[in-house]
Amino acid sequence: MTKFTVVTITYNAAALVGRTLDSVLHQTYEDVEHLIIDGASTDQTLPMAEAYKEASDASACGHKVIIHSEPDKGIYDAMNKGLMQASGDYIVYMNAGDFFPSADTLEQIARRCHLNEQPTAELPAVLYGLTNIVDGEGHFLRPRRLAPPPRLTWRSFRHGMLVCHQAFYARTDLAKNLQYDTRYRYSADVDWCIRVMREGERMGLRLYNIGMVVANYTEEGMTTLHHRDSLRERFHVMRRQYGLASTLLMHCWFVIRAAISRFTKNR
């Protein structure tokens, strides 16, 4: 049976993490490992995580929950810790405040992608799906503006991060060799996704479109709060991956597209 590792990064996240833990707890798919990588929280995050682990241990599905708490060097350092501990066939990051749309999300993914009918060596490099945006209380706001194309390649991200990080399932054996670049503060996830997809192509593995909403993403993340710095850093990621000329052309198009959107709204 194909195993999923869900990684949740927390630091003083008691106000948000409850709905994330609940959404994993109620997943009907049985083979789930949940790694909670905490940055030495001083609020109620850890007691909540421990209570969640007890509830999960007693549940019918019996997901494996591992809690690791210690100071880290930032969110991407914490993500690398989760990546290196993961034992599932696929890894996905579902951070504090983010959650699965339904109790059978992972079950539907496994069924739609025919995961349990394939040899492990032939599993797709990446499974990807759609994302809805929710507010700080978990209420639906809108579908994510950027959406993946029917056929995704590593070159697709020249047009922006078309797949939300929480909707990007990477094959763990492949991803372990491609850790997050901690020189980036806000955009290491973009860089990592591109490198994972690029390595998948090199190995002749597919990128599989799940074709459904697989994540609810809380809007006020670090990238949203530091939007200008994030855009600047993302430019450097794109230049590194796609070259300067291509990156400049695409960013010119981004500016034109934004201007057209503003003009249309104001008419």
Side-chain angles (χ1 to χ4, degrees):
M1 188 180 210
T2 302
K3 181 178 180 179
F4 292 102
T5 294
V6 180
V7 179
T8 299
I9 308 301
T10 60
Y11 178 68
N12 289 344
L16 295 173
V17 74
R19 63 172 175 262
T20 307
L21 303 181
D22 285 345
S23 79
V24 182
L25 176 65
H26 292 108
Q27 287 302 300
T28 54
Y29 193 80
E30 293 185 2
D31 211 350
V32 178
E33 173 184 67
H34 192 187
L35 304 180
I36 300 170
I37 309 298
D38 180 75
S41 291
T42 56
D43 65 355
Q44 289 298 303
T45 299
L46 285 174
M48 290 173 68
E50 292 291 351
Y52 157 69
K53 177 174 168 39
E54 290 182 13
S56 185
D57 289 346
S59 71
C61 287
H63 301 151
K64 182 179 181 181
V65 178
I66 299 172
I67 303 168
H68 183 85
S69 182
E70 66 178 13
D72 55 53
K73 299 176 183 177
I75 189 169
Y76 295 118
D77 177 47
M79 286 182 174
N80 279 334
K81 291 178 181 180
L83 176 59
M84 299 316 293
Q85 291 182 46
S87 65
D89 297 291
Y90 284 97
I91 184 169
V92 64
Y93 290 84
M94 196 66 64
N95 292 334
D98 306 324
F99 55 100
F100 293 108
S102 64
D104 65 346
T105 297
L106 292 178
E107 195 170 327
Q108 287 193 61
I109 291 171
R111 185 168 59 250
R112 283 172 176 246
C113 302
H114 310 289
L115 298 183
N116 296 317
E117 303 167 19
Q118 303 177 58
T120 301
E122 296 177 13
L123 289 172
V126 173
L127 316 173
Y128 64 96
L130 299 167
T131 306
N132 283 336
I133 306 298
V134 300
D135 64 17
E137 296 182 351
H139 300 136
F140 173 81
L141 292 175
R142 61 187 178 279
R144 187 171 183 262
R145 181 179 64 82
L146 292 179
R151 184 177 179 275
L152 186 74
T153 75
W154 69 269
R155 297 170 185 82
S156 301
F157 272 35
R158 286 183 299 177
H159 302 277
M161 192 173 185
L162 300 182
V163 181
C164 181
H165 195 212
Q166 284 76 355
F168 188 96
Y169 290 68
R171 242 180 71 164
T172 309
D173 58 348
L174 185 155
K176 278 181 181 287
N177 297 320
L178 301 165
Q179 294 190 36
Y180 292 86
D181 189 337
T182 56
R183 292 175 298 177
Y184 298 119
R185 291 187 64 193
Y186 311 111
S187 301
D189 52 347
V190 183
D191 173 72
W192 181 76
C193 288
I194 294 170
R195 287 188 289 118
V196 168
M197 291 187 289
R198 196 168 189 170
E199 179 64 9
E201 181 179 290
R202 187 191 70 78
M203 295 174 64
L205 298 172
R206 295 171 297 151
L207 308 181
Y208 195 99
N209 188 345
I210 302 167
M212 59 178 266
V213 175
V214 296
N216 289 330
Y217 172 73
T218 300
E219 189 170 43
E220 292 299 324
M222 275 191 61
T223 303
T224 306
L225 296 174
H226 300 274
H227 187 62
R228 187 182 295 264
D229 290 336
S230 173
L231 289 177
R232 186 180 297 112
E233 195 174 83
R234 191 165 297 192
F235 179 88
H236 290 298
V237 169
M238 297 299 183
R239 182 177 65 181
R240 179 181 174 187
Q241 294 292 343
Y242 303 119
L244 180 60
S246 175
T247 301
L248 285 171
L249 284 172
M250 287 310 304
H251 277 72
C252 286
W253 163 239
F254 294 158
V255 171
I256 293 170
R257 183 178 64 188
I260 292 172
S261 177
R262 286 195 298 271
F263 176 77
T264 303
K265 286 180 180 178
N266 292 331
R267 289 191 64 183

